[in-house]
Amino acid sequence: MNPAAPSRQVLEHLASLHHVGTSYDNWRGEPVTVADEVIIRILGALGVDASTQQSAEQAITEAALAPWRNVMAPTVVARQGWTPWVRVHVPHGSAVSLTARLEDGSLRPVRQVDWWEDPREVDGKLIGVATFELDGDLPPGSHYLIAEGDAIATTESVLIISPARLNVLGDRRVLGIAAQLYQLRDDVSWGIGDMRHLDALMGQAHQWNADFVLVNPIHAGVREPEFEDSPYRPASRQFRDPLLIDLDGPEFIITHESVKATIADIHAKATALNTADRIDRKAVWSLKRQALWELFVTDSFDQAQFSRYAIQQRQGLIDWATWSALTEHFDALWPDWPSEYKDPRSSKVARFRKTHTQEVRFHQWLQWVIDTQLDRLNQTNSLDVGVMHDLAVGVHPGGADSWLLGEAMVRNASVGAPPDHYNALGQDWSQPPLNPVKLAEMGYTPWRDLVRGVMRHAGALRIDHILGMFRQWWIPAGCTPTEGTYVYFDPEAMLGVLVLEAERAGVILVGEDLGTLPANARQMLDERGLAGTDISWFTQGWGRPANPQHYRQVALAMVSTHDMMPNAGLLRLEHVELRARLNLLTQSLDEERETEQAAIDQVRAAMVEDGYLEHPDVDTTTFIVALHRWVAQGASQLFAVSLADLAGDRRAINVPGTNQTQYPNWRLPLCNDAGQPIDLTNLADLPLANAIMEASQR
């Protein structure tokens, strides 16, 4: 006889205790009830057995007792000025004291408040609660709470105090260029854009009176056995992609003519890749790696500086380099390694490091090179803000972060998006989510280390899909994106860590807050000083496209994003034709054309009404230039122009919801309106680029 399945009432109760959604509103605003099986499988991925009525009821009991079994919550998060209460569990009737140990080593006693709470029997013992109140003048930082008493072992919890509001942006109005760095080429490129191109683009941005350059995530990518082309599905979000190293950088000290000749020969082969109509990351890396290895083994660099860097980065850099060396050794990602190598702390992994010291050190060195180049670029550029980096929402399931973070990652689910107007089948990003419960138990250390690392050498940081700090769409392993549900995070903690590290680094934060939002999400982002994102094609006012004068002030305004076709193609409805070919439409082709054309016509009419067009029937170029002027003169403090729009490119760099067999996502070099590749050195000569940048001045 099969055990009885849990009742819906019990299942919903259990799901609520673990912050798993049982219903939601779809993109049309219609209520959707999540299937029982989906809830059970998501709970299972979180380590909660809800397969039967008995196991679900037992799990409810365990969830209720869990806080009482701990002396304190593992992490307490508060904003500066708040005075939250902290509950300390001790044997009933016993005394306890609480002390805050601050980052500077000083100790602050925490005052106990006169508050009675009934004791509770836990595992045969009567447990009581002592309540303490934190002072509102505790400084921002990552501190500790220390509970001490005769009846308990001394217990520590992490105390995170974040600034009440981030104010790095101030009252500045800034202009930037948004670029997919890898798209850039010139005659001497290695087949892909790299740090040299970023340096040149920042120089051009300065000539156009811009203040920042927003680049795609430059996180370390997956290389073996096949390259992952998407910069939004990296191997690690904490480390950088060595594919982007500039081999002409001053970090390399080449004293031997034979080394120069070898590098020149490899470079000659790489320049042939510049004429290809697709970016071939695997071919580029094969050649760049040969050259970099030659420089490494011939000591063509400052060894003392590298050694200091390696010491400063400590175990994290060693772990990353070990993963990199192991992927090359096995020509596979870690889920396909022999079982004894799947634990980063195993004796086999430690032995591998000792027997492959040079390979591991090589991958440490690569990080030093790109970090040094980023630091030099950051120090020498003339832009007010500098580089705005981009933080991807997740990582590759076979990547280094997935291997190293262990139980902090959820293995039997992936993050994606539910169906919407643009993707009728939803999206599965094939990225393992972080476990919100484990993050709290670990003091949010993985999240802190990640954001601290990505903010190095950044003037600003864009957080892709920042709504993931509130809730994420989880898809159980083996299911489709339509068979998922939302799992809710603690946004106070996630944003608190982010704001604390940004304040320390002096980094402007921009949240990509497009899509279906949880209640009060934008209000909370605004309270914390994070800029939102307003895209002109998506921002609606009263019965018409919103006047940019009414956009949010603390926001990044843009005409388009990397998930949209550039305006030169969009205005010709080429995005509709493309989505029809890819079977992504939610209505008939004629209906889709009519809908999209109506949206374009509404924007044209709004621009006439607002005085930015004399009449709606202007040519495409005139309209694009006027569109940028319209948005640039709006209320938002940050405004970024897409490099694809400057070039007149008509092709989408990415079509959400598709794979590489359907469309060459992230592999198209920058081209002009005629589909001809653009040399970066000629960018300033393009009439369209100059007209748009002139119209975008602030």
Side-chain angles (χ1 to χ4, degrees):
M1 182 176 179
N2 293 328
S7 68
R8 183 71 187 189
Q9 182 179 10
V10 166
L11 194 57
E12 288 184 351
H13 184 195
L14 180 59
S16 70
L17 293 174
H18 292 277
H19 311 291
V20 175
T22 58
S23 64
Y24 64 95
D25 291 340
N26 66 15
W27 66 277
R28 294 189 181 93
E30 303 163 340
V32 177
T33 299
V34 179
D36 289 8
E37 182 60 27
V38 170
I39 300 170
I40 291 170
R41 295 184 67 171
I42 290 296
L43 286 168
L46 288 167
V48 180
D49 183 3
S51 58
T52 68
Q53 179 78 6
Q54 181 179 358
S55 64
E57 290 176 346
Q58 180 61 34
I60 289 172
T61 300
E62 292 296 312
L65 290 175
W68 291 80
R69 287 175 171 149
N70 295 322
V71 173
M72 291 184 289
T75 307
V76 176
V77 181
R79 304 183 199 182
Q80 190 176 23
W82 282 10
T83 57
W85 285 6
V86 178
R87 302 166 81 246
V88 181
H89 298 102
V90 293
H92 182 52
S94 62
V96 65
S97 66
L98 189 65
T99 305
R101 187 175 74 234
L102 306 185
E103 281 185 336
D104 62 6
S106 62
L107 301 176
R108 295 272 295 271
V110 182
R111 182 178 64 87
Q112 187 170 357
V113 297
D114 186 12
W115 177 261
W116 172 259
E117 191 168 339
D118 290 334
R120 180 168 185 168
E121 184 175 328
V122 180
D123 302 325
K125 298 179 181 179
L126 195 61
I127 301 298
V129 180
T131 304
F132 295 81
E133 183 178 76
L134 296 178
D135 290 337
D137 63 348
L138 290 175
S142 294
H143 314 301
Y144 288 94
L145 290 173
I146 306 169
E148 298 176 290
D150 293 339
I152 62 168
T154 299
T155 302
E156 289 190 355
S157 289
V158 173
L159 171 62
I160 298 171
I161 303 293
S162 69
R165 180 179 173 83
L166 183 68
N167 194 33
V168 177
L169 178 60
D171 59 0
R172 288 179 288 176
R173 284 174 60 81
V174 294
L175 168 64
I177 297 172
Q180 299 292 309
L181 179 58
Y182 52 86
Q183 285 192 288
L184 305 181
R185 289 175 174 175
D186 54 38
D187 289 342
V188 295
S189 300
W190 287 66
I192 198 167
D194 57 32
M195 289 296 108
R196 182 174 63 83
H197 299 87
L198 178 55
D199 193 10
L201 183 59
M202 294 179 76
Q204 182 57 57
H206 178 66
Q207 294 298 315
W208 278 328
N209 297 317
D211 305 288
F212 67 90
V213 172
L214 165 60
V215 295
N216 58 276
I218 60 171
H219 308 316
V222 169
R223 296 187 293 274
E224 283 82 24
E226 294 295 332
F227 251 90
E228 171 58 56
D229 290 296
S230 173
Y232 290 92
R233 197 163 174 256
S236 172
R237 293 188 288 177
Q238 189 172 348
F239 295 97
R240 315 289 192 179
D241 194 347
L243 188 68
L244 304 179
I245 288 174
D246 171 16
L247 280 154
D248 292 322
E251 297 74 27
F252 304 114
I253 308 169
I254 307 176
T255 58
H256 299 290
E257 291 301 320
S258 61
V259 176
K260 292 181 181 179
T262 299
I263 301 299
D265 182 59
I266 299 171
H267 186 198
K269 297 175 184 176
T271 57
L273 298 172
N274 291 326
T275 59
D277 62 357
R278 297 286 187 273
I279 297 166
D280 188 342
R281 287 174 172 81
K282 189 169 187 177
V284 173
W285 178 242
S286 176
L287 294 169
K288 271 200 169 183
R289 192 194 186 286
Q290 291 177 46
L292 288 163
W293 180 260
E294 181 71 16
L295 294 169
F296 173 69
V297 297
T298 56
D299 297 331
S300 301
F301 58 94
D302 189 322
Q303 296 185 59
Q305 286 189 20
F306 165 50
S307 295
R308 284 194 294 270
Y309 171 82
I311 292 171
Q312 291 169 357
Q313 296 300 305
R314 296 178 292 184
Q315 188 64 39
L317 180 62
I318 295 172
D319 288 340
W320 155 256
T322 302
W323 175 88
S324 300
L326 280 165
T327 58
E328 291 185 341
H329 179 75
F330 290 118
D331 192 29
L333 298 177
W334 75 265
D336 296 322
W337 295 349
S339 59
E340 57 267 32
Y341 292 90
K342 293 183 178 181
D343 179 359
R345 303 296 170 229
S346 73
S347 59
K348 280 285 190 179
V349 171
R351 181 171 179 79
F352 176 87
R353 269 198 292 264
K354 290 182 179 179
T355 56
H356 295 78
T357 302
Q358 190 177 39
E359 291 90 338
V360 172
R361 192 162 175 80
F362 172 61
H363 289 287
Q364 292 177 278
W365 175 77
L366 291 175
Q367 288 301 310
W368 169 73
V369 173
I370 193 164
D371 190 84
T372 301
Q373 292 189 349
L374 278 168
D375 182 49
R376 172 169 49 82
L377 185 151
N378 190 53
Q379 296 296 329
T380 59
N381 83 86
S382 302
L383 304 184
D384 181 44
V385 175
V387 180
M388 180 184 291
H389 287 283
D390 199 350
L391 176 62
V393 70
V395 296
H396 194 288
D401 286 2
S402 174
W403 181 58
L404 290 166
L405 290 179
E407 63 180 5
M409 305 293 288
V410 175
R411 303 298 180 191
N412 295 317
S414 64
V415 180
D420 59 23
H421 173 65
Y422 291 98
N423 292 280
L425 301 178
Q427 300 175 55
D428 185 344
W429 301 331
S430 299
Q431 297 173 336
L434 288 167
N435 187 324
V437 175
K438 296 299 181 183
L439 279 179
E441 291 177 357
M442 299 169 75
Y444 289 89
T445 299
W447 176 236
R448 181 205 63 197
D449 290 347
L450 162 62
V451 298
R452 185 176 292 175
V454 82
M455 286 180 189
R456 283 173 58 85
H457 316 312
L461 178 65
R462 173 189 180 272
I463 302 99
D464 189 49
H465 194 67
I466 198 168
L467 303 182
M469 296 186 194
F470 295 82
R471 67 181 186 186
Q472 295 178 358
W473 184 257
W474 285 18
I475 306 160
C479 293
T480 67
T482 59
E483 301 169 311
T485 189
Y486 285 110
V487 175
Y488 293 82
F489 282 63
D490 180 354
E492 190 62 51
M494 300 293 285
L495 293 175
V497 172
L498 188 65
V499 168
L500 173 61
E501 296 303 327
E503 179 78 14
R504 287 171 160 171
V507 168
I508 298 167
L509 294 178
V510 176
E512 188 263 296
D513 57 350
L514 306 176
T516 306
L517 285 81
N520 300 323
R522 280 184 171 158
Q523 177 183 343
M524 189 171 185
L525 293 174
D526 182 63
E527 287 176 357
R528 305 312 306 272
L530 276 76
T533 302
D534 283 334
I535 307 300
S536 61
W537 291 108
F538 302 150
T539 308
Q540 290 295 306
W542 293 99
R544 50 153 276 175
N547 185 327
Q549 297 292 339
H550 301 152
Y551 287 5
R552 292 173 288 176
Q553 180 178 344
V554 184
L556 169 65
M558 298 181 69
V559 173
S560 58
T561 77
H562 58 259
D563 285 333
M564 298 171 59
M565 184 168 284
N567 283 284
L570 184 145
L571 294 172
R572 296 176 173 93
L573 299 184
E574 292 175 8
H575 63 301
V576 176
E577 307 299 329
L578 175 61
R579 288 170 55 212
R581 292 197 301 272
L582 297 173
N583 196 31
L584 295 175
L585 299 183
T586 56
Q587 52 189 348
S588 72
L589 177 57
D590 287 342
E591 290 173 323
E592 196 78 13
R593 286 193 187 115
E594 183 178 345
T595 298
E596 293 299 300
Q597 186 60 58
I600 293 170
D601 292 343
Q602 286 179 347
V603 171
R604 287 178 180 268
M607 290 174 63
V608 171
E609 182 179 339
D610 295 342
Y612 286 84
L613 285 177
E614 291 185 6
H615 57 84
D617 299 324
V618 297
D619 62 82
T620 298
T621 298
T622 301
F623 177 66
I624 290 174
V625 173
L627 181 61
H628 283 82
R629 180 178 290 108
W630 186 51
V631 180
Q633 298 307 309
S636 298
Q637 290 183 251
L638 300 108
F639 176 59
V641 178
S642 166
L643 186 61
D645 280 339
L646 294 177
D649 207 337
R650 293 164 58 171
R651 307 156 310 152
I653 190 61
N654 176 52
V655 180
T658 63
N659 56 43
Q660 296 291 31
T661 62
Q662 297 170 289
Y663 188 80
N665 295 313
W666 317 112
R667 289 185 291 157
L668 298 176
L670 189 67
C671 289
N672 61 18
D673 183 77
Q676 300 165 332
I678 287 180
D679 188 316
L680 176 61
T681 58
N682 297 328
L683 188 62
D685 299 328
L686 297 177
L688 177 62
N690 285 295
I692 289 176
M693 291 306 298
E694 182 180 352
S696 300
Q697 295 302 308
R698 317 207 78 199

